[in-house]
Amino acid sequence: MDQMAALKFRSVDLQSPRNNQEHHTQEMGLKRLVVRRGQSFLLQLHFSRPFHFGTDYLTFVAETGPAPTELLGTRATFSLTQARQGNVWSASDFTTDTNSLFVSLFTPSNAVIGPYTLKIEISQGQGHSVTHPLGTFILLFNPWNAEDDVYLPSEILLQEYIMMDYGFVYKGHERFITSWPWNYGQFEEDIIDICFEILNKSLYFLENPSKDYSQRNDPVYVCRVVSAMINSNDDNGVLQGNWGEDYSRGVSPLEWNGSVAILRQWLARGRQPVKYGQCWVFAAVMCTVMRCLGVPTRVVSNFRSAHNMDRNLTVDTYYDQNAEMLPTQKRDKIWNFHVWNECWMIRKDLPPGYNGWQVLDPTPQQTSSGIFCCGPASVKAIREGEVHLPYDTPFVYAEVNADEVIWLLRDGQAQEILDHNIHSIGKEISTKMVGSAKRQNITSSYKYPEGSPEERSVFMKASQKMLGPGRASSPFLDLLGSRGSQDQPAQLQLHLARTPEWGQDLLLKLHALRVPDRVHPRGPIRLVVHFCAQALLHQGGTREPLWRQTVHLNLDFGEEIQWPLLLPYDNYRNKLTDEKLIRVSGIAKVEDMGRSMLVLKDISLEPPNLSIEVSKRAEVGKALRVHITLTNTLMTALSNCMMVLEGSGLIDGQISKNIGTLVAGHTIHIQLDLYPIKTGPRQLQVLISSNEIKEIKGYKDIFVAAARVSSAPPRPAPPRTLPTTPLPSLPEPSTLPTAPLFIS
């Protein structure tokens, strides 16, 4: 009698904890099902009676996107079978237990990623079928699966480029590289929903939603869409760029600690762009999104990065006779550093040999197919000068390979080449080392050693392709063999006489050595050297001069002179950008010869050091005392100091506190309790910003153990954001009463 009764659906268990663990998505939570394509997951179905294969028929329907269809790959219909067949949607390998059916569902390795609805149709023979909703699940790329286009065959690399939710962005200057801790937070509970909302706000989706969804099986397409959506130049993207110095309508790019706050703000404020970002913020947020979606991703910094808009592989810089670096109307620039992403994938759209790391750049620099995005450009193609391969390979090639030509201007006209430097662009290309807090130099992935025959050969090949055969005899190519300063009567160098500190006078030394040249092989020479110091901007320009000095030197053959130069603090106080970089330039003119020489020195002023210590073993749900110490080593007070703490798995969101004014020469001690949320390796990021210095950053790596069994209930975690009541100025160290957060 029971066997003849209709099979009725009662309930379903999506087995989310088990499936998520097996699909490496447990960090996103265990309450809802998040799986990766090309890998089976288990369901438990409960019926009114035992299931009988052969007389009871089950058909599953999975759908994603608007108006899903099987033709577009956004709808799949598949019946229960005894064994899985091929790389297709399937339900198989089932077992029964009284009125329960355990069934394995398989998604193909090229399935469209995104949120899915799952339904089941029940029928007996040719009879009427009944449909029941089973729930929803999210499908992601699967870099653990050898059939997926993002497959990365190394568990160590997968832990770094998918599972690691914190890291470093490298900033500053090629000789003063600083590591900037960043909270990616790709597994915070709501981030995955925000990532798909970003895709749903793209111009591609708005133009043709069904077509857009159908292409979300292709990591090349998805990466390109995300690259466009992180900036907001032609859509309601996540971040609005600002390379000026007025951030009063938003947050300075230097004051972000991580991606989570940015993504949540974008969603909470009606998908309006968050103010403000610059290259490292754009790239770090894109890293969060791509790792969340399942594409192995890292953040890469290129020091002295060319912005070569006219595609001629040279960037011109201009100085006047007084050594002042001059502004130019040209869009070509050399940025102190630029930050982009690399995503790992197969490039089926390219010839063989160009799989692996691909450059994606979400910073809005130029349009690609009419939209502000960049990439993916194969790193291997960049190294080999194959600039004809998509996407945007010529632009990225120039960023790391362009030549710099430095001109001396007289009366507004370029009169003399001071230097033609073939080695100055694309320096110290860096990313975080796998499994380490150290920096890894990956310059050799992008180009052959500077000046090597291979590097020059690739450069000539790329230049011919970019300039075209009709311009093979251009003045640019004629310059390639030149060395503007090879035959000079003296060698000039600028050195720092002591470590530069913000708030202190800067002491430099000019080293001048007389060497033979064709005009005066051994005789003495007289030099007039004009020096100029200017604040160096991130995008390669400078502010007006803040210091000048002129030096007269007599040099006999073989003689070496060391001439001291003093740049007083009062000259640069309140005249630098937030990044605290100074360029000191010198133009030396040889009397009676009419020839000029250039000497340069860039100086980075380090902010005060931030110390972070934790008192004991970190454990989920148990108070962890954190000690933060900052000494103001400057000659001036730091006013309106704001502290922001962030760290996925340690803090839900952010903790912020106004800590008042820190007087010159004094120390502030801050203690607070955290209540870790997740086990495993975590990183606490601390930012203290002030009116004078925007970026005093520190971090502490913390390993969180599972909670030990205890009869006492755990203390609840503090609220996401603490009140920001200003504290009084702190003229000297003192101790306040013990509290969840106290300052001394």
Side-chain angles (χ1 to χ4, degrees):
M1 183 70 179
D2 287 341
Q3 292 184 3
M4 300 301 296
L7 185 70
K8 295 182 180 179
F9 173 77
R10 297 298 189 207
S11 64
V12 63
D13 181 356
L14 298 178
Q15 303 275 305
S16 297
R18 172 180 174 175
N19 288 321
N20 289 9
Q21 188 79 30
E22 292 179 353
H23 285 249
H24 308 279
T25 61
Q26 69 277 8
E27 286 285 314
M28 296 180 180
L30 302 176
K31 295 181 181 179
R32 60 176 175 171
L33 183 59
V34 183
V35 293
R36 300 185 185 276
R37 64 187 193 175
Q39 184 175 341
S40 299
F41 60 96
L42 190 67
L43 302 182
Q44 184 181 10
L45 303 171
H46 301 280
F47 297 110
S48 58
R49 61 166 174 80
F51 170 80
H52 296 286
F53 185 76
T55 57
D56 296 323
Y57 297 93
L58 303 181
T59 301
F60 294 86
V61 180
E63 296 179 325
T64 188
T69 67
E70 294 187 14
L71 180 63
L72 291 174
T74 51
R75 185 178 194 269
T77 303
F78 47 101
S79 298
L80 181 65
T81 58
Q82 289 184 315
R84 178 168 69 87
Q85 296 180 351
N87 186 36
V88 294
W89 289 86
S90 63
S92 61
D93 303 319
F94 60 89
T95 59
T96 58
D97 180 11
T98 61
N99 291 359
S100 294
L101 176 71
F102 292 89
V103 59
S104 175
L105 266 61
F106 178 82
T107 62
S109 58
N110 60 349
V112 169
I113 66 164
Y116 278 79
T117 60
L118 186 63
K119 296 180 289 188
I120 188 172
E121 297 176 355
I122 304 175
S123 64
Q124 289 177 289
Q126 300 299 318
H128 177 69
S129 66
V130 180
T131 301
H132 300 276
L134 296 182
T136 61
F137 67 93
I138 294 175
L139 189 63
L140 302 176
F141 291 112
N142 191 354
W144 281 267
N145 185 282
E147 302 302 317
D148 199 303
D149 285 352
V150 300
Y151 174 57
L152 182 59
S154 166
E155 185 61 32
I156 294 174
L157 297 183
L158 287 166
Q159 290 300 314
E160 181 72 42
Y161 298 131
I162 290 288
M163 301 303 293
M164 186 68 72
D165 61 2
Y166 60 86
F168 298 97
V169 178
Y170 296 99
K171 300 172 68 249
H173 186 278
E174 60 172 304
R175 294 193 181 95
F176 317 101
I177 297 174
T178 57
S179 58
W180 183 271
W182 193 270
N183 179 39
Y184 296 121
Q186 68 266 30
F187 301 127
E188 293 293 299
E189 192 169 353
D190 53 347
I191 295 301
I192 190 169
D193 302 303
I194 298 174
C195 291
F196 284 111
E197 183 66 11
I198 289 171
L199 296 181
N200 289 344
K201 294 299 177 184
S202 77
L203 295 180
Y204 297 99
F205 176 85
L206 297 176
E207 180 180 328
N208 191 331
S210 296
K211 181 181 178 182
D212 170 72
Y213 254 84
S214 72
Q215 296 182 86
R216 294 186 186 181
N217 66 328
D218 180 6
V220 172
Y221 176 79
V222 172
C223 288
R224 197 158 166 79
V225 171
V226 174
S227 170
M229 279 301 297
I230 297 301
N231 69 72
S232 60
N233 279 41
D234 36 29
D235 46 44
N236 280 338
V238 176
L239 280 158
Q240 180 176 326
N242 185 340
W243 287 268
E245 296 173 58
D246 180 9
Y247 307 118
S248 58
R249 294 179 177 269
V251 175
S252 165
L254 294 169
E255 295 183 47
W256 295 113
N257 258 348
S259 306
V260 177
I262 294 170
L263 292 168
R264 285 176 173 167
Q265 182 175 320
W266 176 79
L267 184 71
R269 297 187 178 180
R271 291 77 172 168
Q272 293 300 308
V274 176
K275 301 174 181 178
Y276 294 104
Q278 289 183 10
C279 63
W280 68 92
V281 186
F282 289 115
V285 173
M286 182 163 181
C287 183
T288 296
V289 174
M290 298 316 302
R291 287 187 184 180
C292 183
L293 296 178
V295 179
T297 304
R298 61 187 185 183
V299 176
V300 174
S301 298
N302 177 39
F303 292 88
R304 287 191 57 80
S305 185
H307 186 80
N308 185 220
M309 297 296 292
D310 55 16
R311 293 166 59 101
N312 67 354
L313 286 175
T314 60
V315 178
D316 296 318
T317 307
Y318 301 93
Y319 289 84
D320 68 11
Q321 296 177 85
N322 296 314
E324 179 181 345
M325 184 178 174
L326 302 173
T328 174
Q329 298 302 314
K330 294 184 178 181
R331 293 190 296 168
D332 286 8
K333 295 285 191 301
I334 302 174
W335 293 17
N336 300 330
F337 68 95
H338 184 52
V339 185
W340 57 66
N341 300 98
E342 286 179 2
C343 294
W344 181 275
M345 68 190 73
I346 290 173
R347 291 297 300 274
K348 294 178 179 177
D349 58 323
L350 300 184
Y354 298 103
N355 299 333
W357 290 117
Q358 314 288 322
V359 171
L360 276 299
D361 190 349
T363 300
Q365 299 181 86
Q366 67 169 10
T367 59
S368 175
S369 300
I371 293 177
F372 278 95
C373 65
C374 181
S378 166
V379 173
K380 291 181 181 178
I382 295 164
R383 189 174 194 260
E384 299 301 330
E386 302 296 348
V387 293
H388 62 288
L389 297 176
Y391 292 89
D392 310 303
T393 309
F395 185 80
V396 182
Y397 180 86
E399 286 184 299
V400 299
N401 283 294
D403 285 1
E404 179 185 19
V405 179
I406 303 176
W407 297 86
L408 178 65
L409 257 64
R410 295 190 187 95
D411 301 322
Q413 298 294 320
Q415 298 292 328
E416 183 180 348
I417 294 179
L418 294 170
D419 196 10
H420 170 222
N421 201 329
I422 64 174
H423 306 310
S424 66
I425 288 172
K427 310 292 286 185
E428 296 291 332
I429 304 175
S430 303
T431 192
K432 177 186 175 297
M433 188 174 290
V434 174
S436 168
K438 296 179 180 179
R439 179 179 66 89
Q440 180 181 359
N441 187 326
I442 58 170
T443 307
S444 61
S445 299
Y446 281 81
K447 54 185 177 180
Y448 291 96
E450 292 282 11
S452 67
E454 296 89 349
E455 184 263 343
R456 281 291 98 182
S457 174
V458 168
F459 186 91
M460 291 300 295
K461 177 174 69 174
S463 65
Q464 294 282 357
K465 289 181 178 181
M466 292 172 67
L467 292 167
R471 297 181 60 190
S473 60
S474 69
F476 154 69
L477 290 178
D478 295 339
L479 273 173
L480 291 182
S482 74
R483 300 292 188 272
S485 57
Q486 265 193 338
D487 188 38
Q488 298 285 11
Q491 293 177 356
L492 304 178
Q493 291 182 320
L494 278 171
H495 297 283
L496 285 165
R498 64 186 180 205
T499 301
E501 296 183 17
W502 194 87
Q504 306 289 332
D505 295 344
L506 304 180
L507 185 61
L508 300 95
K509 285 186 178 179
L510 171 67
H511 290 242
L513 173 65
R514 173 73 172 94
V515 293
D517 69 309
R518 284 177 291 184
V519 179
H520 294 90
R522 289 188 174 273
I525 59 171
R526 290 175 56 84
L527 295 177
V528 179
V529 190
H530 298 282
F531 290 100
C532 178
Q534 297 167 273
L536 190 59
L537 307 178
H538 169 58
Q539 288 183 290
T542 54
R543 283 182 173 178
E544 65 281 354
L546 52 86
W547 170 85
R548 295 183 187 274
Q549 187 168 331
T550 302
V551 173
H552 297 266
L553 299 176
N554 295 315
L555 277 177
D556 286 329
F557 178 75
E559 182 181 6
E560 182 176 0
I561 293 178
Q562 297 188 22
W563 192 277
L565 299 168
L566 182 68
L567 202 169
Y569 169 57
D570 286 342
N571 281 70
Y572 69 82
R573 181 179 183 176
N574 301 324
K575 294 182 180 179
L576 303 185
T577 66
D578 290 335
E579 292 175 322
K580 304 292 186 286
L581 279 170
I582 298 174
R583 170 161 293 177
V584 178
S585 313
I587 299 285
K589 186 173 182 180
V590 184
E591 290 189 357
D592 303 325
M593 292 178 62
R595 298 174 60 186
S596 301
M597 293 176 286
L598 174 70
V599 61
L600 298 174
K601 184 66 176 179
D602 292 340
I603 303 171
S604 175
L605 303 175
E606 293 297 318
N609 183 53
L610 187 65
S611 171
I612 307 168
E613 297 296 334
V614 293
S615 58
K616 53 186 176 180
R617 180 177 184 265
E619 187 177 314
V620 169
K622 188 175 181 180
L624 177 68
R625 179 60 55 89
V626 178
H627 305 261
I628 302 168
T629 305
L630 174 65
T631 299
N632 183 3
T633 57
L634 310 184
M635 297 171 60
T636 184
L638 298 178
S639 58
N640 193 29
C641 294
M642 176 66 72
M643 179 182 70
V644 179
L645 290 83
E646 190 168 331
S648 290
L650 297 172
I651 301 169
D652 182 14
Q654 294 180 324
I655 295 174
S656 59
K657 189 70 177 177
N658 189 326
I659 55 177
T661 297
L662 181 56
V663 175
H666 291 276
T667 300
I668 187 172
H669 299 280
I670 303 168
Q671 296 186 27
L672 73 159
D673 289 338
L674 301 180
Y675 296 83
I677 305 163
K678 295 180 179 180
T679 61
R682 305 291 166 189
Q683 188 181 84
L684 175 66
Q685 292 102 11
V686 179
L687 167 69
I688 295 179
S689 60
S690 67
N691 291 342
E692 291 72 25
I693 299 180
K694 295 297 183 186
E695 51 172 327
I696 303 174
K697 291 203 76 168
Y699 72 94
K700 185 70 175 179
D701 290 330
I702 300 170
F703 185 86
V704 180
R708 288 179 284 197
V709 178
S710 173
S711 57
R715 180 173 175 177
R720 178 175 295 176
T721 304
L722 295 181
T724 56
T725 305
L727 295 177
S729 301
L730 302 168
E732 59 186 43
S734 61
T735 302
L736 301 180
T738 302
L741 183 150
F742 63 88
I743 302 171
S744 63

